Amino acid sequence: MIGKIIDLPKIVDPRGNLTVAEQMGNVPFEVKRVYWTYDVPGGESRGGHAHKQCVEFIIAVSGSFTVTLDDGKGHHEAHHLNHPWQGLLVSTGIWRTLEDFSSGAVCLVLASELFDEADYIYEYDEFLEYVR
């Protein structure tokens, strides 16, 4: 298994549900950066890279999308995220692509590292070389 789905607490309330993500708790790292993508045009994809140091926890806080993971060693997984009380833990050295965004989808990412351009691997051939 390349990625790990983690269920977050879902507190059901007639006024509206609540979910909590806590660093070093149900999110197994210190969160140093939070970002989100939204208004992704139909047919477009996001991601298309790997990280050398950064671990990410990806949540579909609204709508849905598919995260495809590739470890560069022949293992691929596709995770359809559509529950705001679940997140996908993606470790370092994993190629990820996000696609099939529903209308109104919001992808929230909790990251273990601050943005560092040198941490990204954008070329798939470089990624394959890196994981060998």
Side-chain angles (χ1 to χ4, degrees), residues 66-100:
T66 299
V67 182
T68 303
L69 303 177
D70 176 351
D71 70 356
K73 300 171 186 164
H75 299 100
H76 299 85
E77 293 176 357
H79 296 272
H80 185 70
L81 300 181
N82 62 352
H83 300 300
W85 64 87
Q86 289 183 328
L88 177 63
L89 182 64
V90 181
S91 189
T92 58
I94 302 295
W95 188 268
R96 81 278 327 269
T97 305
L98 289 72
E99 53 202 353
D100 300 325

Side-chain angles (χ1 to χ4, degrees), residues 33-108:
R33 181 169 53 118
V34 177
Y35 64 92
W36 50 98
T37 59
Y38 53 94
D39 294 341
V40 178
E44 289 297 321
S45 65
R46 300 289 308 205
H49 63 268
H51 289 283
K52 299 173 188 172
Q53 307 254 334
C54 188
V55 177
E56 293 183 330
F57 191 65
I58 303 171
I59 304 167
V61 293
S62 181
S64 66
F65 50 88
T66 299
V67 182
T68 303
L69 303 177
D70 176 351
D71 70 356
K73 300 171 186 164
H75 299 100
H76 299 85
E77 293 176 357
H79 296 272
H80 185 70
L81 300 181
N82 62 352
H83 300 300
W85 64 87
Q86 289 183 328
L88 177 63
L89 182 64
V90 181
S91 189
T92 58
I94 302 295
W95 188 268
R96 81 278 327 269
T97 305
L98 289 72
E99 53 202 353
D100 300 325
F101 285 84
S102 69
S103 177
V106 178
C107 170
L108 177 71

